[in-house]
Amino acid sequence: MSFFAILLALVLEQARPLKTDNLVFSSIDRWIHWTVRTLDAGARSQAWITWGVTVLGPAMLVMLVHWLLTWGLGWWVAVLWNIALLYATLGFRQFSHHFTGIREALDSGDEDKARELLAQWQQVQVGQIPRSEIVRHVIEYSVIAAHRHVFGVFFWYAALSIIGLGPVGAVIYRLTEMAQRHWREPAADGSWASEVLRSVSVRAWQAMDWLPSRMTALGFAIVGSFEDAMDGWRNHAQNFPQDNDGVILAATAGAINIRLGGAALAATDEEEPKELGSSSTPGRVASLAHFAQVVGLVWRTVIMWLLLLALLTMANLVG
């Protein structure tokens, strides 16, 4: 079930991507902000309760619907439910329009537009950074987005499908990421989540993303320059052992021999605008040619994991 659900969800998402203002995402945004206003009291125990209600509550509801559909209407209806969930949680088209717009602006020589689009996408201060730095940051943000929107969801859905909890894995992963991202910014009414809740959500996200980030890095190493990717991963992990995003970027840099920013993606202050960091990995200076290399790296990794999942599915069916 997991292989066909993931494959069909990816195909559907490519053919008809969700709009950014769709009902699913807007409902999740309201849910995340409602739980903060209702449950966040600034105490650590209360923070974990708030996080649990926000993330685990919808996941339990999703799994309940899955079981009811399986028992009441049959497994094929449950498969359709899984495809719908993956369609909402997994996919390139949720962020790729930013990548495409900036690449097209650079292709046409309009660097000012590219800077503007980059600033709008990530809410960063770009100033008058040169062309190579625009490319570098676009690649960094795109690789991390590909991990969070595709590979991370892919991993937890496939892993928990072994025990029949695939939908739970996909939903918990995406909600954990969205919660920590939303709570580090002010709500529409100007209110903030408590400091302890922000800390709890970051810790939960780091734990949830620890293994998927390393599986993504491993995938990039396998389909790219393996030795260089593993060297970059190892060197970065020695200096920043808790930096999940940096592991992915270090592996990407080695896989295609490009100079990326490693740990420089982290904001220095949650309430201050993020500043673009400086390069920290060895490799060639970023150029437009690297865009095609990154796209190829990501898609080869997707195909590799899909083939592996297909082989496991066939082995299970034959066995």
Side-chain angles (χ1 to χ4, degrees):
M1 179 190 296
S2 57
F3 167 73
F4 293 107
I6 291 173
L7 178 62
L8 291 175
L10 283 172
V11 172
L12 180 61
E13 200 265 345
Q14 287 292 311
R16 193 174 183 83
L18 281 171
K19 296 181 180 179
T20 55
D21 59 347
N22 65 83
L23 179 61
V24 175
F25 290 169
S26 60
S27 298
I28 291 174
D29 288 345
R30 288 194 296 270
W31 169 250
I32 290 174
H33 291 304
W34 180 85
T35 56
V36 170
R37 292 195 306 270
T38 306
L39 301 175
D40 183 21
R44 182 161 296 275
S45 59
Q46 196 76 11
W48 280 112
I49 293 174
T50 304
W51 180 89
V53 171
T54 303
V55 175
L56 301 182
M60 293 174 62
L61 178 61
V62 160
M63 201 64 220
L64 178 61
V65 172
H66 174 79
W67 285 336
L68 290 175
L69 291 175
T70 302
W71 294 335
L73 298 176
W75 67 269
W76 63 274
V77 181
V79 171
L80 295 179
W81 173 243
N82 278 240
I83 294 172
L85 288 172
L86 287 170
Y87 176 64
T89 57
L90 179 152
F92 289 103
R93 300 295 290 275
Q94 296 178 22
F95 69 91
S96 62
H97 56 286
H98 298 291
F99 176 89
T100 302
I102 297 172
R103 182 179 63 181
E104 290 176 350
L106 290 174
D107 281 338
S108 64
D110 192 346
E111 295 182 12
D112 289 336
K113 182 179 180 180
R115 295 187 189 96
E116 179 183 352
L117 292 174
L118 176 59
Q120 292 174 355
W121 178 18
Q122 290 296 323
Q123 297 300 302
V124 292
Q125 298 174 354
V126 299
Q128 292 297 315
I129 60 174
R131 184 184 186 90
S132 62
E133 287 296 280
I134 299 174
V135 173
R136 180 172 73 86
H137 287 294
V138 170
I139 289 175
E140 289 175 354
Y141 293 131
S142 298
V143 168
I144 296 302
H147 165 69
R148 295 182 179 184
H149 288 83
V150 181
F151 297 115
V153 178
F154 191 129
F155 172 83
W156 279 115
Y157 179 83
L160 293 190
S161 290
I162 298 174
I163 57 175
L165 298 176
V168 170
V171 171
I172 289 179
Y173 181 83
R174 289 295 290 133
L175 284 179
T176 301
E177 188 275 331
M178 294 178 72
Q180 63 87 27
R181 176 160 44 86
H182 280 68
W183 290 340
R184 69 172 181 242
E185 303 289 345
D189 59 2
S191 62
W192 286 81
S194 67
E195 182 178 349
V196 67
L197 180 58
R198 294 200 298 269
S199 175
V200 162
S201 66
V202 169
R203 287 178 58 190
W205 168 242
Q206 289 176 340
M208 192 73 185
D209 196 44
W210 190 90
L211 187 54
S213 63
R214 282 146 183 82
M215 294 302 294
T216 297
L218 178 62
F220 288 170
I222 292 173
V223 302
S225 175
F226 184 83
E227 184 176 352
D228 291 335
M230 295 305 292
D231 283 344
W233 176 355
R234 187 183 307 109
N235 293 333
H236 184 83
Q238 289 175 352
N239 297 318
F240 307 96
Q242 303 301 320
D243 182 19
N244 295 335
D245 289 352
V247 166
I248 298 171
L249 294 179
T252 303
I256 60 175
N257 189 25
I258 183 176
R259 189 180 306 160
L260 295 179
L265 288 178
T268 56
D269 189 310
E270 290 180 342
E271 299 187 19
E272 293 295 330
K274 292 187 290 184
E275 297 287 347
L276 293 178
S278 58
S279 300
S280 63
T281 63
R284 294 177 296 166
V285 175
S287 65
L288 285 180
H290 283 112
F291 279 151
Q293 289 182 267
V294 168
V295 171
L297 183 77
V298 170
W299 275 110
R300 289 196 303 273
T301 306
V302 169
I303 293 171
M304 181 191 69
W305 290 129
L306 279 175
L307 288 175
L308 178 59
L309 187 57
L311 290 174
L312 293 174
T313 302
M314 292 177 60
N316 183 55
L317 293 173
V318 173

